Structure formats: structure tokens, C-alpha cells
Amino acid sequence: MNLPYWLFQAKLFPSLPFLIAEAKQIRESKPKLPPHSEKLILNGGEKRLMVFGESTAAGVGASQVETTLAGHFKKKLGDEYSVYCLGKNGLRVQEANDFFHQNFWNPSPTQNGITLFLGANDCFKLTSPKDYHRQLSELIHLFKKKLSPAWIYLADIPPVHLFPAFSSRMQRQLEIQRAYLQKEMKSIAQRDKEIYFEPISLDLSPDFFSQDQIHPSDLGYQKIAEFTIKGLKKSGWLEN
């Protein structure tokens, strides 16, 4: 991780054909799991929580709406909250701005808080740290301007280097790429008191994953929701 990013890229280059072939084989061999929370509103009280991001927000791997991340948030936050969710499988940070504009409700309601789940696809696609920092900063600025949240929870990138579907060679490269992007997320959070970032710490037992060994299962989403809410309560953004 102390290597400059260009040197990491140079060292990675000889392995790229093998990694691309592995990624293709995984796509073709693993089951295609449907999303369950791409765009939904779970109605409740006047307080509003928005869930936004990639497949984790879209509920890929869950069995039903109630066991998606949005569903677990609604259950744990109770009737005083309404949960808005926008998610897209495969979404990268550079695409998030347009995705938001094309899909969010109009007029856009003010949100009490926003949870952002992004970064895994930017690991897979090797987004440069410099671009990731700029694009994520622009997205956060957009949300502050449009939705006026009291806080933004910047979820850590899933531990893609531990996904059981990947070979050890791919896991090693994903771990390094993830560390570069995590550093940019920490930098963004450190300069803004309204942004909360916490390195993820979860027990990734086999039943954490869905049948494709990449996306969370119902239990995995429950654990992510519990970790997120615990962090928000510790930071003071949610009441205990």
C-alpha cells in the first residue's frame, strides 16, 4: 500500500489477462441473482433515511424486500422512519451522479441521513484513487445540495478480497486496490464532520454469503445493517 498507484498498476499488468479470464468464468458459472430493492420506499414516519449504492443497496442476494439492507433498516429503525432506497448492481462512483438524477423521486424529499454503499465495483474495475476521490466528493456534494442530510454514512468497501468466489491471486490484488480506495474515503471523512466512516468489521462465515459467494445473504444483510446502526449510534447520529 506504500507503493505509488502507478507502480501497483505496472506490477498488476502482467496478471491482467488471467484476472480478466477468471472474472469472465465467474460471471458465466455463478447464478444470476435478482435485485429486490433497486428503487423503493418503505413508508413510516416523518424521519427519512436514504440507502444509495451498488448491489448491496439493490438487495442482490436477499430473498425478499424485507431481508434487504433497506428492509433491515426499516425494521430496526421502527415506525418513525421512512426508508428510501436506490441501488443498481454494478454501479461505479463515476456513474452514481447520473443514476441519482435519472431515478430519484421528484420533488426530492429532504433526508435525515444518507447511507452510501459504493466502492466494490471500483475495486473490480481498478478505478484510480485520484478519480475515486474526486467522483465520491462530487457525489457527496450533490447529496448535500439536493437532500440536506444531517449526516452521511460512508460505508466501508466490502472486503472483496475475502469473497470465496475469487482465487487467491485475485484476492491479493483486490485487497491492495481496496486499500488505496479506502484511504481516499478516510481522507474525505476526516475533513467533514457530517460524514461518518468506519472500517468494516464483520464475521464473514460461509452463511454470510448468498449462493453466488459474492453478494450477502439474508443473514449477511442483517449483519451489515446491525453494524451500520451500531456505528451511527456510537457517533451520535442515531439515538440509542
Side-chain angles (χ1 to χ4, degrees):
M1 240 305 289
N2 292 324
L3 293 175
Y5 190 70
W6 67 265
L7 187 53
F8 164 66
Q9 289 178 305
K11 289 188 172 186
L12 178 64
F13 187 77
S15 301
L16 277 179
F18 304 99
L19 296 175
I20 291 171
E22 178 179 341
K24 181 180 179 182
Q25 188 274 331
I26 290 172
R27 285 195 301 270
E28 292 175 349
S29 63
K30 296 297 181 182
K32 304 296 187 294
L33 304 179
H36 290 281
S37 54
E38 285 183 305
K39 184 175 181 179
L40 61 82
I41 300 175
L42 301 176
N43 287 310
E46 294 183 358
K47 292 184 178 180
R48 298 188 181 101
L49 172 72
M50 178 178 170
V51 183
F52 182 93
E54 53 199 12
S55 59
T56 307
V60 177
S63 62
Q64 56 188 325
V65 168
E66 289 77 12
T67 55
T68 63
L69 198 54
H72 282 298
F73 281 146
K74 181 68 182 72
K75 180 179 179 180
K76 293 178 183 302
L77 292 174
D79 292 339
E80 62 180 331
Y81 273 87
S82 293
V83 177
Y84 290 70
C85 187
L86 274 182
K88 181 181 179 182
N89 193 14
L91 186 70
R92 297 170 65 188
V93 174
Q94 70 173 10
E95 304 157 347
N97 194 311
D98 287 343
F99 175 68
F100 171 80
H101 281 299
Q102 293 166 7
N103 291 278
F104 199 61
W105 298 266
N106 191 22
S108 300
T110 298
Q111 303 291 309
N112 289 78
I114 299 174
T115 57
L116 296 183
F117 291 85
L118 292 161
N121 295 300
D122 289 279
C123 284
F124 301 145
K125 298 294 185 180
L126 299 175
T127 301
S128 77
K130 181 179 179 180
D131 289 342
Y132 188 75
H133 187 112
R134 175 180 53 81
Q135 293 159 1
L136 185 56
S137 296
E138 290 173 353
L139 181 66
I140 290 171
H141 176 74
L142 168 69
F143 285 150
K144 286 188 171 187
K145 181 179 178 181
K146 295 287 187 181
L147 303 177
S148 304
W151 52 264
I152 294 176
Y153 179 86
L154 190 55
D156 194 7
I157 298 171
V160 290
H161 58 292
L162 299 178
F163 288 3
F166 302 146
S167 69
S168 59
R169 172 165 48 188
M170 180 174 284
Q171 288 176 337
R172 285 195 301 272
Q173 303 305 334
L174 288 173
E175 183 176 13
I176 298 171
Q177 171 71 12
R178 177 177 181 256
Y180 280 109
L181 301 189
Q182 281 179 307
K183 183 178 179 181
E184 302 307 318
M185 298 171 78
K186 292 175 184 176
S187 173
I188 291 172
Q190 285 170 355
R191 68 168 189 255
D192 191 332
K193 64 180 181 180
E194 295 174 349
I195 298 176
Y196 181 73
F197 173 84
E198 181 180 18
I200 195 167
S201 176
L202 292 172
D203 175 20
L204 300 182
S205 56
D207 55 357
F208 178 92
F209 296 95
S210 62
Q211 62 189 108
D212 68 0
Q213 297 185 303
I214 295 174
H215 295 97
S217 63
D218 290 347
L219 177 63
Y221 281 116
Q222 178 185 330
K223 289 183 176 181
I224 295 170
E226 290 171 349
F227 179 83
T228 301
I229 290 176
K230 182 179 178 181
L232 287 168
K233 287 182 177 180
K234 183 172 66 176
S235 68
W237 292 121
L238 287 180
E239 296 179 2
N240 285 298

